[in-house]
Amino acid sequence: PYLDRVLAGEEVEFEGKAQNEDGSIKYFLTHCVPDRGDDGEVKGYFAVVSDISEVTTATLALRQSETRLRSVIEGIPLVLWATDAQGVFTLSEGRSLQRLGLSPGEVVGRSLFEVYADVPEVVSSARRALEGEAHSGTVRVAGLVFDVHYEPMIDASGEVSGLVGVASDITDRTLIAEDLEASEQKYRELVEEINDVIYSVDRTGVITYVSPAMEPIAGYTIDEVLGRPFTQFVHEDDVMMVSERFARVIDGAAGQLT
């Protein structure tokens, strides 16, 4: 079809490829110009064939790398994004965009300062990066929690040409940690209201926690007890027996120390 177009009087340029004897592939760029006679009719054509194998091979390799990188990014719970020097998005990719209600590339061309105008932490962090400061921080967006790294992009003249950011979705583990902390706080408050002495020790028998009831019942302050072996508060006649029972408890056997 290309030659038909040339013979019809059209100047044409097209790419092609050929296989060498060794099995390697060569890529060519062919430029065809109609050869017209004195009467203006096309009597043939001139063709210039250029070897573009090196450029084409590099381009194909780059595309393959981009495809692999995109596949990796799309499979990891993060958002990879970039802006120009004015804060306009030039890149927005990553699986976690779905949780934000966004599609890959949806915010490209829009200003970060407008998209996240209601999230001051993002706006201020982006401004810091565009001023040349690389930094990281945690931010909450739309009920999600992200660990974000902001990195300024510096051009050949040393000027900031934009920024690139990587936001890792840490929502699930953050919520678990917060629930655990709240649960521990409720447990601690409950324990501190009980009149009995409640304490905990590590595997070596050192006291790591004791409830406030320790002082009125035993006469020891909390600071006097923490960090000391519990056997120091056992009557000397019972130390051996209690130590043996403690060893069995540590080995996994249920039971009482006294």
Side-chain angles (χ1 to χ4, degrees):
Y2 293 112
L3 296 182
D4 291 340
R5 289 165 55 190
V6 175
L7 294 175
E10 181 181 350
E11 187 172 334
V12 175
E13 186 175 81
F14 59 92
E15 295 182 9
K17 62 181 179 180
Q19 185 172 2
N20 296 328
E21 292 184 2
D22 61 2
S24 62
I25 301 297
K26 280 285 188 179
Y27 295 89
F28 300 96
L29 176 64
T30 302
H31 188 92
C32 298
V33 179
D35 178 17
R36 298 178 184 275
D38 295 338
D39 57 0
E41 294 295 323
V42 177
K43 61 179 182 178
Y45 64 88
F46 298 102
V48 178
V49 181
S50 304
D51 185 350
I52 58 171
S53 298
E54 185 174 342
V55 174
T56 302
T57 300
T59 301
L60 291 174
L62 179 59
R63 288 175 181 171
Q64 291 175 352
S65 296
E66 290 176 344
T67 300
R68 288 195 295 268
L69 178 59
R70 188 179 298 275
S71 297
V72 171
I73 293 173
E74 291 176 349
I76 299 176
L78 54 73
V79 178
L80 176 64
W81 51 275
T83 76
D84 62 15
Q86 286 69 49
V88 175
F89 281 107
T90 57
L91 173 70
S92 178
E93 298 288 344
R95 194 177 79 190
S96 290
L97 285 170
Q98 296 177 358
R99 301 189 69 180
L100 290 170
L102 297 171
S103 302
E106 182 175 337
V107 297
V108 171
R110 298 173 60 188
S111 171
L112 174 147
F113 304 115
E114 294 177 359
V115 175
Y116 293 106
D118 59 344
V119 189
E121 297 90 339
V122 173
V123 172
S124 61
S125 293
R127 292 193 187 282
R128 287 170 59 188
L130 289 174
E131 291 173 358
E133 179 185 353
H135 62 284
S136 300
T138 301
V139 63
R140 291 178 181 266
V141 180
L144 303 175
V145 185
F146 291 91
D147 185 16
V148 188
H149 180 72
Y150 305 82
E151 187 74 26
M153 294 188 293
I154 310 298
D155 61 21
S157 63
E159 298 295 323
V160 176
S161 60
L163 71 90
V164 61
V166 179
S168 302
D169 187 347
I170 59 171
T171 303
D172 293 340
R173 73 168 183 260
T174 298
L175 294 180
I176 290 173
E178 289 176 349
D179 289 344
L180 179 60
E181 183 178 355
S183 177
E184 290 178 345
Q185 181 61 30
K186 290 179 181 179
Y187 170 76
R188 185 177 295 275
E189 291 173 355
L190 176 63
V191 166
E192 291 179 352
E193 292 295 324
I194 296 176
N195 293 327
D196 296 329
V197 175
I198 297 177
Y199 68 94
S200 63
V201 300
D202 61 18
R203 293 184 63 85
T204 65
V206 173
I207 297 174
T208 57
Y209 171 80
V210 64
S211 65
M214 183 69 174
E215 187 168 357
I217 291 179
Y220 293 100
T221 66
I222 293 176
D223 290 339
E224 289 174 328
V225 174
L226 291 179
R228 295 172 62 183
F230 78 92
T231 51
Q232 292 184 5
F233 304 95
V234 177
H235 192 279
E236 60 182 10
D237 293 342
D238 299 326
V239 170
M240 182 174 294
M241 175 194 67
V242 171
S243 296
E244 290 176 351
R245 291 183 177 179
F246 175 74
R248 290 202 298 271
V249 170
I250 291 299
D251 289 338
Q256 295 181 334
L257 298 183
T258 58

